[in-house]
Amino acid sequence: MDRVGSLPDELLCHILSFLTTKEAALTSILSKRWRYLLAFVPNLDIDDSVFLHPEKGKRERDGILQSFMDFVDRVLALQGESPIKKFSLKCRTGVDSDRVDAWISNVLRRGVSELDLLIILGMTMEDNYRLSPKGFESRTLVKLRIDCGIDVSWMAGSIFLPMLKTLVLDSVSFYVDKFETLLHALPALDDLVLVDVNWLDSNVTISNASLKTLTIDSDGHLGTFSFDTPSLVYFFYSDYAAEDYPVVKMENLREARIFLMVSDEEIERVRAPNNDLFEDDMDNVVLRFEHVGKLMNGIRNVEYLDLSADTLEVLSLCCESMPVFKNLKSLAIKSNESRGWQAMPVLLRNCPHLESLVIEGLLHHVTDKCGDACDCVSREDKGRSLTSCPVKMLEIHGFGGTKKEMQMIKHFLDYFPSLKEMEIYADEDGPTNLEAPGMFEQIAHLFTLYDQVYTCDVQFMVCGSFYKKLTAQ
């Protein structure tokens, strides 16, 4: 029995909507019934890399590009005026821009709610596809993604996207004033994603009253960043530290992930303040790092905070301006041996209601400013910042079984007064001493003793196939 063929047309069209449009079109040869189902598929996923098979050299054949464009024309003509939900168009080989205009106009006219565009016409910026003003006029569009190769820097004419909730801009160029005009014209915007945006001005302001989530993932904006987003609840920020953060309004923020990037050269300059060779550049780097304190003050109402190792290093210059995170319940810290913990003591002291602490990697760059958060440097006030921290749950990831790590764990057990549970994870893919003969058994025995001596419940876990190998011995 043909169980698939016995399904109703509506369900078959729904199934076909999960395939690329080329794959869905190929089903038309199965039988007469399948021949016209593509006309009613609500999602179209058109990708010239799938159609042209560049790995087989098909792209260079005469007429193949024309054949691809004719295929898209036929699919849209077959669908007529039937409703469409999602239209994804990815063209990496110089297609006719007029044909692209017609395709986008077609789906907008039919009430598309999700539009995903990547159009590369050539290798230079002058060859970028100039998105028609009609791309910013739709009563039905809910999600819009504009990827590389598309010119939106002009942003002239009217913008009418009253239903747009999600906007993704990836590898596009923008003038700041045009970007601000766009945001002000999106009254329903909930989710904004900015990936490698090339800002054509130095001072960027993100202002939108309805915005709930904001993602910035870049590696090059060194101007200023201002945020006027009073309704924001989630913020992901990965970039080099901006020149300044003049305005940061995020009163309702609940979750923040701050993954600043720092070069080794910048770290060297900051750690060598008396080196005249770096004096001018050092002043600029130090000032940028100090201004990150303004960003931290703006996100002080968060309940969950995730910081990269580079961010923790930057915060070493913001200790005096570090705000009190009165709502923070969960803090996650990433660490590595080339970045310091100078900011850890003040950070822990300024989280009066912290319940959960996650540390990914215990080893870090040791200085005399690590404070009392670790036992790297012997001092009289050892553990003071820990004794005032109310954390109840501690997770340690990337444990490698070194003596230094064991000392750090004992330090935490000694000085966190409210600690109830500690979970320690050894990563099979990371550097570890656990494979040394008898090492796993010694560490497991030591943790068993900890569990008996301390009121904290200590659990030691080794992830993945490495655990299976150890338990089999």
Side-chain angles (χ1 to χ4, degrees), residues 296-307:
M296 301 305 290
N297 187 61
I299 67 172
R300 64 187 181 279
N301 291 332
V302 293
E303 297 177 1
Y304 175 89
L305 181 61
D306 190 357
L307 302 176

Side-chain angles (χ1 to χ4, degrees), residues 239-448:
D239 202 343
Y240 287 97
E243 180 182 317
D244 197 3
Y245 301 90
V247 177
V248 184
K249 292 183 179 180
M250 301 181 180
E251 296 86 351
N252 292 298
L253 194 66
R254 293 295 173 262
E255 180 176 345
R257 299 174 184 269
I258 311 298
F259 294 173
L260 294 178
M261 293 180 285
V262 180
S263 69
D264 290 336
E265 184 181 12
E266 288 176 324
I267 296 298
E268 182 181 356
R269 291 175 180 178
V270 170
R271 291 176 181 170
N274 297 321
N275 192 333
D276 294 337
L277 181 64
F278 294 142
E279 185 173 354
D280 292 338
D281 288 338
M282 184 199 71
D283 289 344
N284 180 51
V285 172
V286 169
L287 193 60
R288 283 197 296 113
F289 286 9
E290 288 178 345
H291 285 161
V292 172
K294 298 180 182 180
L295 176 65
M296 301 305 290
N297 187 61
I299 67 172
R300 64 187 181 279
N301 291 332
V302 293
E303 297 177 1
Y304 175 89
L305 181 61
D306 190 357
L307 302 176
S308 67
D310 280 354
T311 303
L312 199 61
E313 179 78 41
V314 170
L315 292 181
S316 66
L317 295 179
C318 306
C319 290
E320 293 184 1
S321 61
M322 188 78 72
V324 174
F325 296 93
K326 60 182 180 181
N327 299 325
L328 193 65
K329 300 293 181 64
S330 179
L331 173 65
I333 297 291
K334 294 176 177 59
S335 181
N336 64 55
E337 294 185 74
S338 65
R339 299 294 185 256
W341 273 25
Q342 296 95 316
M344 278 289 279
V346 67
L347 187 59
L348 292 177
R349 286 197 299 267
N350 287 17
C351 301
H353 302 292
L354 189 66
E355 296 178 358
S356 172
L357 176 61
V358 179
I359 302 177
E360 187 175 323
L362 289 174
L363 301 181
H364 56 275
H365 178 72
V366 177
T367 72
D368 59 357
K369 296 181 180 179
C370 283
D372 55 356
C374 63
D375 66 343
C376 299
V377 180
S378 178
R379 50 173 47 86
E380 293 181 0
D381 60 348
K382 187 176 182 180
R384 186 180 64 176
S385 64
L386 273 60
T387 58
S388 63
C389 182
V391 66
K392 297 179 178 63
M393 171 66 184
L394 175 61
E395 285 186 27
I396 296 172
H397 294 260
F399 177 76
T402 65
K403 181 179 179 181
K404 183 61 185 176
E405 290 172 298
M406 294 299 298
Q407 292 173 342
M408 290 280 290
I409 290 172
K410 186 177 185 303
H411 178 72
F412 293 145
L413 289 168
D414 283 337
Y415 291 101
F416 275 131
S418 303
L419 196 63
K420 300 299 182 184
E421 186 176 356
M422 177 186 287
E423 294 182 357
I424 302 164
Y425 296 86
D427 186 358
E428 63 174 323
D429 297 323
T432 178
N433 291 340
L434 296 177
E435 288 186 303
M439 181 62 70
F440 177 78
E441 290 78 7
Q442 293 178 33
I443 294 174
H445 176 66
L446 188 57
F447 284 143
T448 300

Side-chain angles (χ1 to χ4, degrees), residues 152-167:
V152 293
S153 61
W154 51 274
M155 283 295 293
S158 62
I159 301 172
F160 186 69
L161 298 170
M163 300 297 292
L164 193 73
K165 292 185 177 297
T166 300
L167 175 63

Side-chain angles (χ1 to χ4, degrees), residues 158-162 164 179-188 208:
S158 62
I159 301 172
F160 186 69
L161 298 170
L164 193 73
F179 177 73
E180 292 176 2
T181 299
L182 173 61
L183 289 189
H184 289 153
L186 304 176
N208 185 280

